[in-house]
Structures are given as structure tokens and as C-alpha cells.
Amino acid sequence: MVPRKLALATGIAVALGALTAPAVHATPTNAPAAAPSGKPAHDDFNGDGYADLAVAAPEATVDGKVRAGYVAVVYGSASGLDAGSRQVVSQNTPGVTDSAETDDGFGSAVSSADLDQDGYADLVVGVTGEDSVEGGAETGLVQVVWGGAGGLSGGAPLAYGHDTYDRLSARAQLTVGDVDGDGAADLVVVEGLANLRVIKGPFGRDGSTSAGEQIVHDDSDPRFLDLASGDVNGDGVDDVVGTMNDGDEYDARRVTYWQGTRDGLAAGVVLRDSRGWRVQGGESLDLGDVNGDGYEDIVVGRPVDGYDSDVDTPIPLGGRVAFVPGSANGPVGTKAMYVNQDSAQVPGAAERSDGFGSDVAVADVDGDGYADVSTGVPGEDFDGLSNAGGAIVLRGAASGLSGTGATGVNQDTAGVPGAAETDDAFGRTTHLVDGDGDGRAELVVGAPGENANAGSVWVFRSTSAGVTATGSVTFGAGTLGTVAANAKLGSGFNY
């Protein structure tokens, strides 16, 4: 059965804005004017008071090097994310660590934080295929590109993997947070598939730190799927949450919580539901205060279905999103809630391989004080198209997460630039960022499969009623001045 098309309750919208394609710049074009001062955002690279967007293309060709990868940054402004003010950063950008090489995968993971405490957010980039002299092939690398008044410039290595094929900083296996409560951002990355490596800040401009490292072992032989950091228990110290499976048992998933303390991360705790069973993890997670009680909650996307675990996990059909509330005692797995496309008011209908739950993100979209949740549905079929995809925003409320007030968009939504096509995978990635500083996060959607895997990104404005297609814009390689072929632009965003 063909599901009902994702619909957004707004009028006909303005289509694609006037986005042009000048040459790539090492500094942002049309640098934005300064905004009112205040506490710098973790994603404000130029310190103008507006959050910025970093978009990864780790499989892109750079100067003839296939899958060398780049990260494109679009700067925020009073009128929102401005594709006219942008940078494209690769390992061939002057001042950035190393040089672009085939299969490096620059942008395999992307985050942002003020690592050197100078008031500007810095871009943290994973290079999972990087080789090192000490460790050998594919040890992996995490590096920083420094923020400043003129945008991003210069950089330094932060960490290499210790051993051959550590592949440090594989997709989504990197997060940044203050996990020891000393006021400095710490880097947390997965090393050797199974261990958390915490590199404690603050960092010097050469990427060094004198604060030391912590290795957190997990004897269950896990394979990490995603990491996130935030204050789940409200004690002022960031915690870390991970979702993973058990070694070769792809279907044996779980969610683990490491409490941040003044001494670093405590031993991990596996979340249990009201039945005493493990809360099943998924491919993506993010943290935010969905129910407005002052504690960050855990949101986990499980976009896969059709496995043995479907029998004993809630509403698995077509993928689902789980909500686990935070509390003074940490996450409360016994109060987990679940939403899928068969939940009341959620656009679409749950069908096998829809991928609902892909790349969840958490932020307040409508400015009501409750964090909302975006999720992709990249496998959504409609109008005879397979895997055309869509994206949905679920509304937060005091009662937690449900389908009430949910809205959805796809490329056939009136006013959305482009046209839906088979295998676009619109919604493979999603992000929420307040690029205009109005207290309402815009929805950003990636479609890495667009235009035969060139990839594109869409930005949707937000109002007090939620996401709107009015004024939505898109950009891709033509705007950025990059190589389009198989770049899969929009494979990831900064968190």
C-alpha cells in the first residue's frame, strides 16, 4: 500500500532563493554584520551571535582525490542561514592539518565547540581514513579548524588513533562536552570500535592539552552507532550517551549512559525499560529537554526493522523514535515512550524499510520552551517513487514525545524546491539550528542521494506554529563550487 504523502499545512511558498555559485573561498563570502553580544553558541564560528551550519561530504572528490572529503559551512544571519556567506574546508585548505588524500573521509564525523576558550566556536572534524606515521593505515584523525571573527581559519590535529585500523572518528562516533565540569570542552571519540577515549580540554592552538586523557573500556565488545553529550541529570556536568550493538550481533542493541563527574566519566549504565529489558538502541541519538523539566532527555532513532528483535521491542514497523526522560538520578528507562508513523497525527504510514528514525535531532522549533525532534524517513515511497524520502518534526510537550502536532515535508510539498525522485533519500540526515537567532530552530534536511548521489541540502524556516515550507531553499555543489559527482553532500551535520 502506498502511504499517504507527507503533508505540511501551509500555503503555497516561495521557491528557491537566489543562490549563486561563485568560487570557493578560504574565508566567508559576504561576512555577516555583528549581532547583539551574548554567550557564544557552540556552533557560532564567527562570533556574530548567530548559529552556523556545517555540512559534511566525506565522500566528495577534492582536487582529484576521490573520497578525500570536505565540510561546507553556511553562516547564520539576522535573516537566517545565508548561503552567500559560506566556506568550504578540506585538508587542502591552507592552515588545515595534513593534505587531501584518496579515501581520507574528511567529515566522517563533525561537531563544534569552543575548544580554546576564545569566545568562538571551533569546527571539530573526523578524518576516519587518515593514516599516521606512528599508528599505520587508517588509524583515523580528529582535527580542529579554529573559529574567529573572520570565520574559520587555521587548524591543528587533536588526536590520532593509536593502532592500525582504529578508524578514529567513524561516522557519528564523536561528541564534545564538558564531562568533568571544569568549564572546558572535552573531546569524546570511539577508538578501536569498543572504547571511549576522552581527551580533556582546554586545547592549545597547536591542538595540545595538558589535562590528560581517559579511556573508558566496555567488556561487552560493543560496536558504537552514535554518541551524544549533554546534562541528563542536571548537575551542571555533561554526561555521555551511546547507542551500540553487541559485537557481531547486529540486532542486539542497547543504550548506555556514562555520568559525567569531576573525575571524568563514570562507569556505563545500560538503560532498562519497565519490563527490566534493555532499551533497544538505534542508529542515531540526540539529547535535549523535550518535556521542559530542566533535564536533558535522550532521543533515539531506530530506522531499521525486519529483525528478530522486532518481536520484543515496541512499534518497530518502518522504524521508530524512542524518548527516555532525564532526571536528577539520570535517565529513566522505565518511562520510555515510542513514536512511529502509525502513531496518531504523525504524517505517513508505517511500512517496512521506511527508515523513520533516521538521524534524529533535538531543539526547540516553535519557541514554546519544549525541545522538538526532527527525524528523516529516507525510505518513504509515494507517487510511484521508491526511497524518495521525507522528514518529520515531532513536537515536545510536558507529557513527553508523541505524534501530536507533528508536521512533515518532502520534495513534493508545495513550495519546496526540487522534485521528488526515486532514491533521493531525502531525510537521510536532519539537523535543527537557530540560524537567525529568533529562538526557533530551523529544520535542515540532507538528501545524499539527490542527483545521482551528488547530494543536496534543504533549509526550512520555523514559526510559532512550527516548520514551514514558505521561503525554503536548497543548495548543493553548484552553490558551493565543489565537485558534484558522488559527493553525497549532506551526509552529516555538526552537533
Side-chain angles (χ1 to χ4, degrees), residues 433-475:
V433 56
D434 184 9
D436 58 6
D438 67 353
R440 297 188 295 263
E442 292 85 57
L443 170 66
V444 184
V445 179
E450 177 79 4
N451 295 332
N453 293 325
S456 290
V457 175
W458 282 256
V459 180
F460 297 88
R461 296 186 181 277
S462 294
T463 70
S464 59
V467 172
T468 175
T470 301
S472 59
V473 296
T474 186
F475 63 88

mmCIF file of all heavy atoms in Angstrom, residues 433-475:
data_model
loop_
_atom_site.group_PDB
_atom_site.id
_atom_site.type_symbol
_atom_site.label_atom_id
_atom_site.label_comp_id
_atom_site.label_asym_id
_atom_site.label_seq_id
_atom_site.Cartn_x
_atom_site.Cartn_y
_atom_site.Cartn_z
ATOM 1 N N VAL A 433 18.850 24.002 13.714
ATOM 2 C CA VAL A 433 19.777 25.069 14.059
ATOM 3 C C VAL A 433 19.059 26.406 13.983
ATOM 4 O O VAL A 433 18.324 26.680 13.025
ATOM 5 C CB VAL A 433 21.001 25.049 13.110
ATOM 6 C CG1 VAL A 433 20.574 25.146 11.642
ATOM 7 C CG2 VAL A 433 21.989 26.158 13.455
ATOM 8 N N ASP A 434 19.262 27.246 14.990
ATOM 9 C CA ASP A 434 18.633 28.573 15.022
ATOM 10 C C ASP A 434 19.554 29.575 14.346
ATOM 11 O O ASP A 434 20.269 30.335 14.995
ATOM 12 C CB ASP A 434 18.349 28.971 16.469
ATOM 13 C CG ASP A 434 17.601 30.292 16.576
ATOM 14 O OD1 ASP A 434 17.145 30.810 15.535
ATOM 15 O OD2 ASP A 434 17.480 30.814 17.706
ATOM 16 N N GLY A 435 19.534 29.589 13.027
ATOM 17 C CA GLY A 435 20.453 30.421 12.260
ATOM 18 C C GLY A 435 20.150 31.902 12.272
ATOM 19 O O GLY A 435 21.011 32.706 11.928
ATOM 20 N N ASP A 436 18.909 32.288 12.665
ATOM 21 C CA ASP A 436 18.572 33.714 12.697
ATOM 22 C C ASP A 436 18.415 34.259 14.107
ATOM 23 O O ASP A 436 18.051 35.428 14.288
ATOM 24 C CB ASP A 436 17.308 33.999 11.873
ATOM 25 C CG ASP A 436 16.105 33.207 12.350
ATOM 26 O OD1 ASP A 436 16.197 32.518 13.391
ATOM 27 O OD2 ASP A 436 15.053 33.265 11.669
ATOM 28 N N GLY A 437 18.662 33.434 15.118
ATOM 29 C CA GLY A 437 18.667 33.895 16.495
ATOM 30 C C GLY A 437 17.326 34.310 17.046
ATOM 31 O O GLY A 437 17.267 35.098 17.998
ATOM 32 N N ASP A 438 16.225 33.792 16.483
ATOM 33 C CA ASP A 438 14.899 34.198 16.957
ATOM 34 C C ASP A 438 14.330 33.247 18.005
ATOM 35 O O ASP A 438 13.173 33.386 18.405
ATOM 36 C CB ASP A 438 13.930 34.326 15.783
ATOM 37 C CG ASP A 438 13.619 32.990 15.107
ATOM 38 O OD1 ASP A 438 14.256 31.970 15.457
ATOM 39 O OD2 ASP A 438 12.739 32.977 14.215
ATOM 40 N N GLY A 439 15.126 32.284 18.458
ATOM 41 C CA GLY A 439 14.661 31.344 19.465
ATOM 42 C C GLY A 439 13.910 30.153 18.912
ATOM 43 O O GLY A 439 13.417 29.321 19.676
ATOM 44 N N ARG A 440 13.847 30.052 17.577
ATOM 45 C CA ARG A 440 13.186 28.915 16.930
ATOM 46 C C ARG A 440 14.167 28.291 15.937
ATOM 47 O O ARG A 440 14.644 28.958 15.022
ATOM 48 C CB ARG A 440 11.910 29.366 16.202
ATOM 49 C CG ARG A 440 10.843 29.949 17.119
ATOM 50 C CD ARG A 440 9.547 30.192 16.350
ATOM 51 N NE ARG A 440 9.702 31.198 15.324
ATOM 52 C CZ ARG A 440 9.380 32.486 15.458
ATOM 53 N NH1 ARG A 440 8.897 32.914 16.616
ATOM 54 N NH2 ARG A 440 9.533 33.328 14.457
ATOM 55 N N ALA A 441 14.451 27.016 16.115
ATOM 56 C CA ALA A 441 15.426 26.342 15.256
ATOM 57 C C ALA A 441 14.832 26.025 13.893
ATOM 58 O O ALA A 441 13.677 25.590 13.795
ATOM 59 C CB ALA A 441 15.905 25.062 15.931
ATOM 60 N N GLU A 442 15.620 26.253 12.849
ATOM 61 C CA GLU A 442 15.209 25.860 11.507
ATOM 62 C C GLU A 442 15.516 24.374 11.286
ATOM 63 O O GLU A 442 16.434 23.817 11.877
ATOM 64 C CB GLU A 442 15.949 26.686 10.454
ATOM 65 C CG GLU A 442 15.571 28.155 10.410
ATOM 66 C CD GLU A 442 16.334 28.992 11.398
ATOM 67 O OE1 GLU A 442 17.571 29.007 11.383
ATOM 68 O OE2 GLU A 442 15.654 29.640 12.235
ATOM 69 N N LEU A 443 14.716 23.756 10.433
ATOM 70 C CA LEU A 443 14.943 22.365 10.046
ATOM 71 C C LEU A 443 15.862 22.317 8.833
ATOM 72 O O LEU A 443 15.622 22.989 7.829
ATOM 73 C CB LEU A 443 13.611 21.691 9.706
ATOM 74 C CG LEU A 443 13.688 20.302 9.052
ATOM 75 C CD1 LEU A 443 14.281 19.277 10.009
ATOM 76 C CD2 LEU A 443 12.303 19.868 8.565
ATOM 77 N N VAL A 444 16.910 21.518 8.926
ATOM 78 C CA VAL A 444 17.823 21.293 7.809
ATOM 79 C C VAL A 444 17.744 19.814 7.435
ATOM 80 O O VAL A 444 17.808 18.943 8.307
ATOM 81 C CB VAL A 444 19.266 21.662 8.175
ATOM 82 C CG1 VAL A 444 20.182 21.518 6.966
ATOM 83 C CG2 VAL A 444 19.336 23.082 8.725
ATOM 84 N N VAL A 445 17.582 19.535 6.154
ATOM 85 C CA VAL A 445 17.408 18.162 5.682
ATOM 86 C C VAL A 445 18.458 17.860 4.621
ATOM 87 O O VAL A 445 18.653 18.638 3.683
ATOM 88 C CB VAL A 445 16.001 17.940 5.100
ATOM 89 C CG1 VAL A 445 15.850 16.512 4.587
ATOM 90 C CG2 VAL A 445 14.930 18.245 6.139
ATOM 91 N N GLY A 446 19.115 16.720 4.772
ATOM 92 C CA GLY A 446 20.075 16.277 3.783
ATOM 93 C C GLY A 446 19.511 15.155 2.927
ATOM 94 O O GLY A 446 18.783 14.290 3.424
ATOM 95 N N ALA A 447 19.831 15.188 1.650
ATOM 96 C CA ALA A 447 19.461 14.121 0.719
ATOM 97 C C ALA A 447 20.717 13.704 -0.026
ATOM 98 O O ALA A 447 20.978 14.155 -1.149
ATOM 99 C CB ALA A 447 18.380 14.584 -0.251
ATOM 100 N N PRO A 448 21.539 12.849 0.571
ATOM 101 C CA PRO A 448 22.803 12.462 -0.071
ATOM 102 C C PRO A 448 22.622 11.775 -1.419
ATOM 103 O O PRO A 448 23.546 11.766 -2.231
ATOM 104 C CB PRO A 448 23.428 11.501 0.953
ATOM 105 C CG PRO A 448 22.784 11.833 2.255
ATOM 106 C CD PRO A 448 21.391 12.259 1.920
ATOM 107 N N GLY A 449 21.430 11.220 -1.678
ATOM 108 C CA GLY A 449 21.201 10.530 -2.936
ATOM 109 C C GLY A 449 20.719 11.425 -4.064
ATOM 110 O O GLY A 449 20.571 10.960 -5.208
ATOM 111 N N GLU A 450 20.452 12.689 -3.759
ATOM 112 C CA GLU A 450 19.945 13.618 -4.774
ATOM 113 C C GLU A 450 20.905 13.733 -5.948
ATOM 114 O O GLU A 450 22.131 13.790 -5.790
ATOM 115 C CB GLU A 450 19.740 15.001 -4.125
ATOM 116 C CG GLU A 450 19.292 16.092 -5.076
ATOM 117 C CD GLU A 450 17.800 16.030 -5.408
ATOM 118 O OE1 GLU A 450 17.103 15.173 -4.832
ATOM 119 O OE2 GLU A 450 17.353 16.837 -6.223
ATOM 120 N N ASN A 451 20.336 13.778 -7.150
ATOM 121 C CA ASN A 451 21.113 13.961 -8.385
ATOM 122 C C ASN A 451 22.237 12.925 -8.511
ATOM 123 O O ASN A 451 23.417 13.264 -8.644
ATOM 124 C CB ASN A 451 21.686 15.382 -8.460
ATOM 125 C CG ASN A 451 20.611 16.435 -8.564
ATOM 126 O OD1 ASN A 451 19.523 16.187 -9.087
ATOM 127 N ND2 ASN A 451 20.893 17.622 -8.040
ATOM 128 N N ALA A 452 21.819 11.665 -8.483
ATOM 129 C CA ALA A 452 22.763 10.550 -8.672
ATOM 130 C C ALA A 452 23.911 10.596 -7.669
ATOM 131 O O ALA A 452 25.091 10.463 -8.020
ATOM 132 C CB ALA A 452 23.293 10.535 -10.095
ATOM 133 N N ASN A 453 23.549 10.809 -6.397
ATOM 134 C CA ASN A 453 24.499 10.795 -5.280
ATOM 135 C C ASN A 453 25.387 12.031 -5.201
ATOM 136 O O ASN A 453 26.395 12.014 -4.478
ATOM 137 C CB ASN A 453 25.367 9.538 -5.283
ATOM 138 C CG ASN A 453 24.584 8.281 -4.992
ATOM 139 O OD1 ASN A 453 23.643 8.300 -4.206
ATOM 140 N ND2 ASN A 453 24.965 7.184 -5.623
ATOM 141 N N ALA A 454 25.031 13.093 -5.896
ATOM 142 C CA ALA A 454 25.735 14.355 -5.686
ATOM 143 C C ALA A 454 25.381 14.907 -4.311
ATOM 144 O O ALA A 454 26.230 15.436 -3.591
ATOM 145 C CB ALA A 454 25.378 15.366 -6.764
ATOM 146 N N GLY A 455 24.106 14.794 -3.942
ATOM 147 C CA GLY A 455 23.637 15.257 -2.638
ATOM 148 C C GLY A 455 23.260 16.720 -2.633
ATOM 149 O O GLY A 455 23.842 17.542 -3.351
ATOM 150 N N SER A 456 22.265 17.051 -1.822
ATOM 151 C CA SER A 456 21.823 18.435 -1.639
ATOM 152 C C SER A 456 21.299 18.611 -0.218
ATOM 153 O O SER A 456 21.026 17.635 0.488
ATOM 154 C CB SER A 456 20.729 18.808 -2.644
ATOM 155 O OG SER A 456 21.236 18.893 -3.959
ATOM 156 N N VAL A 457 21.132 19.876 0.163
ATOM 157 C CA VAL A 457 20.658 20.235 1.497
ATOM 158 C C VAL A 457 19.517 21.232 1.370
ATOM 159 O O VAL A 457 19.569 22.141 0.522
ATOM 160 C CB VAL A 457 21.801 20.849 2.337
ATOM 161 C CG1 VAL A 457 21.293 21.332 3.687
ATOM 162 C CG2 VAL A 457 22.933 19.835 2.521
ATOM 163 N N TRP A 458 18.481 21.069 2.201
ATOM 164 C CA TRP A 458 17.336 21.978 2.245
ATOM 165 C C TRP A 458 17.254 22.630 3.615
ATOM 166 O O TRP A 458 17.554 21.992 4.630
ATOM 167 C CB TRP A 458 16.027 21.236 1.981
ATOM 168 C CG TRP A 458 15.766 20.913 0.548
ATOM 169 C CD1 TRP A 458 14.903 21.532 -0.300
ATOM 170 C CD2 TRP A 458 16.383 19.864 -0.221
ATOM 171 N NE1 TRP A 458 14.947 20.949 -1.550
ATOM 172 C CE2 TRP A 458 15.846 19.924 -1.528
ATOM 173 C CE3 TRP A 458 17.334 18.887 0.066
ATOM 174 C CZ2 TRP A 458 16.230 19.044 -2.535
ATOM 175 C CZ3 TRP A 458 17.732 18.021 -0.933
ATOM 176 C CH2 TRP A 458 17.176 18.097 -2.212
ATOM 177 N N VAL A 459 16.822 23.881 3.638
ATOM 178 C CA VAL A 459 16.628 24.612 4.882
ATOM 179 C C VAL A 459 15.190 25.102 4.935
ATOM 180 O O VAL A 459 14.708 25.762 4.002
ATOM 181 C CB VAL A 459 17.594 25.812 4.997
ATOM 182 C CG1 VAL A 459 17.369 26.549 6.313
ATOM 183 C CG2 VAL A 459 19.046 25.347 4.887
ATOM 184 N N PHE A 460 14.491 24.784 6.042
ATOM 185 C CA PHE A 460 13.097 25.169 6.250
ATOM 186 C C PHE A 460 13.002 26.108 7.445
ATOM 187 O O PHE A 460 13.488 25.792 8.532
ATOM 188 C CB PHE A 460 12.225 23.934 6.500
ATOM 189 C CG PHE A 460 12.180 22.979 5.352
ATOM 190 C CD1 PHE A 460 13.132 21.980 5.223
ATOM 191 C CD2 PHE A 460 11.185 23.075 4.393
ATOM 192 C CE1 PHE A 460 13.096 21.089 4.155
ATOM 193 C CE2 PHE A 460 11.139 22.200 3.326
ATOM 194 C CZ PHE A 460 12.102 21.199 3.207
ATOM 195 N N ARG A 461 12.364 27.235 7.244
ATOM 196 C CA ARG A 461 12.184 28.190 8.332
ATOM 197 C C ARG A 461 11.163 27.676 9.339
ATOM 198 O O ARG A 461 10.361 26.787 9.044
ATOM 199 C CB ARG A 461 11.742 29.541 7.779
ATOM 200 C CG ARG A 461 12.793 30.198 6.890
ATOM 201 C CD ARG A 461 12.384 31.606 6.485
ATOM 202 N NE ARG A 461 13.380 32.230 5.626
ATOM 203 C CZ ARG A 461 14.469 32.834 6.062
ATOM 204 N NH1 ARG A 461 14.712 32.880 7.364
ATOM 205 N NH2 ARG A 461 15.321 33.380 5.216
ATOM 206 N N SER A 462 11.210 28.283 10.533
ATOM 207 C CA SER A 462 10.282 27.904 11.595
ATOM 208 C C SER A 462 9.509 29.128 12.067
ATOM 209 O O SER A 462 10.012 30.258 12.046
ATOM 210 C CB SER A 462 11.030 27.297 12.779
ATOM 211 O OG SER A 462 11.634 26.072 12.415
ATOM 212 N N THR A 463 8.270 28.889 12.488
ATOM 213 C CA THR A 463 7.405 29.923 13.057
ATOM 214 C C THR A 463 6.877 29.409 14.390
ATOM 215 O O THR A 463 7.199 28.294 14.810
ATOM 216 C CB THR A 463 6.221 30.223 12.122
ATOM 217 O OG1 THR A 463 5.321 29.093 12.134
ATOM 218 C CG2 THR A 463 6.692 30.462 10.692
ATOM 219 N N SER A 464 6.045 30.201 15.043
ATOM 220 C CA SER A 464 5.446 29.757 16.303
ATOM 221 C C SER A 464 4.534 28.563 16.095
ATOM 222 O O SER A 464 4.201 27.858 17.052
ATOM 223 C CB SER A 464 4.669 30.903 16.950
ATOM 224 O OG SER A 464 3.656 31.370 16.073
ATOM 225 N N ALA A 465 4.147 28.311 14.860
ATOM 226 C CA ALA A 465 3.319 27.142 14.550
ATOM 227 C C ALA A 465 4.159 25.946 14.122
ATOM 228 O O ALA A 465 3.628 24.871 13.856
ATOM 229 C CB ALA A 465 2.324 27.492 13.445
ATOM 230 N N GLY A 466 5.497 26.129 14.037
ATOM 231 C CA GLY A 466 6.375 25.038 13.637
ATOM 232 C C GLY A 466 7.019 25.276 12.293
ATOM 233 O O GLY A 466 7.089 26.406 11.793
ATOM 234 N N VAL A 467 7.489 24.214 11.674
ATOM 235 C CA VAL A 467 8.213 24.299 10.409
ATOM 236 C C VAL A 467 7.282 24.707 9.272
ATOM 237 O O VAL A 467 6.130 24.272 9.204
ATOM 238 C CB VAL A 467 8.864 22.935 10.087
ATOM 239 C CG1 VAL A 467 9.455 22.923 8.685
ATOM 240 C CG2 VAL A 467 9.942 22.620 11.111
ATOM 241 N N THR A 468 7.783 25.546 8.379
ATOM 242 C CA THR A 468 7.014 25.974 7.219
ATOM 243 C C THR A 468 7.843 25.809 5.950
ATOM 244 O O THR A 468 9.068 25.976 5.953
ATOM 245 C CB THR A 468 6.571 27.439 7.354
ATOM 246 O OG1 THR A 468 5.921 27.853 6.151
ATOM 247 C CG2 THR A 468 7.748 28.363 7.628
ATOM 248 N N ALA A 469 7.178 25.485 4.855
ATOM 249 C CA ALA A 469 7.852 25.417 3.560
ATOM 250 C C ALA A 469 8.052 26.794 2.947
ATOM 251 O O ALA A 469 8.843 26.957 2.010
ATOM 252 C CB ALA A 469 7.046 24.545 2.597
ATOM 253 N N THR A 470 7.358 27.796 3.459
ATOM 254 C CA THR A 470 7.485 29.151 2.933
ATOM 255 C C THR A 470 8.912 29.648 3.072
ATOM 256 O O THR A 470 9.474 29.664 4.162
ATOM 257 C CB THR A 470 6.538 30.106 3.669
ATOM 258 O OG1 THR A 470 5.206 29.658 3.525
ATOM 259 C CG2 THR A 470 6.676 31.531 3.139
ATOM 260 N N GLY A 471 9.505 30.028 1.959
ATOM 261 C CA GLY A 471 10.870 30.527 1.983
ATOM 262 C C GLY A 471 11.934 29.448 2.060
ATOM 263 O O GLY A 471 13.113 29.767 2.226
ATOM 264 N N SER A 472 11.554 28.187 1.930
ATOM 265 C CA SER A 472 12.552 27.128 1.989
ATOM 266 C C SER A 472 13.502 27.230 0.799
ATOM 267 O O SER A 472 13.115 27.646 -0.297
ATOM 268 C CB SER A 472 11.877 25.758 2.017
ATOM 269 O OG SER A 472 11.059 25.556 0.881
ATOM 270 N N VAL A 473 14.763 26.875 1.028
ATOM 271 C CA VAL A 473 15.789 26.972 -0.004
ATOM 272 C C VAL A 473 16.606 25.683 -0.018
ATOM 273 O O VAL A 473 16.582 24.901 0.927
ATOM 274 C CB VAL A 473 16.730 28.168 0.213
ATOM 275 C CG1 VAL A 473 15.967 29.478 0.102
ATOM 276 C CG2 VAL A 473 17.440 28.070 1.560
ATOM 277 N N THR A 474 17.328 25.487 -1.083
ATOM 278 C CA THR A 474 18.216 24.336 -1.195
ATOM 279 C C THR A 474 19.548 24.769 -1.780
ATOM 280 O O THR A 474 19.642 25.784 -2.471
ATOM 281 C CB THR A 474 17.583 23.244 -2.087
ATOM 282 O OG1 THR A 474 18.400 22.068 -2.063
ATOM 283 C CG2 THR A 474 17.438 23.708 -3.525
ATOM 284 N N PHE A 475 20.590 24.017 -1.457
ATOM 285 C CA PHE A 475 21.892 24.276 -2.070
ATOM 286 C C PHE A 475 22.641 22.963 -2.237
ATOM 287 O O PHE A 475 22.391 21.979 -1.538
ATOM 288 C CB PHE A 475 22.726 25.274 -1.256
ATOM 289 C CG PHE A 475 23.102 24.817 0.130
ATOM 290 C CD1 PHE A 475 24.258 24.080 0.358
ATOM 291 C CD2 PHE A 475 22.302 25.132 1.217
ATOM 292 C CE1 PHE A 475 24.622 23.674 1.625
ATOM 293 C CE2 PHE A 475 22.647 24.729 2.500
ATOM 294 C CZ PHE A 475 23.811 23.996 2.710
#
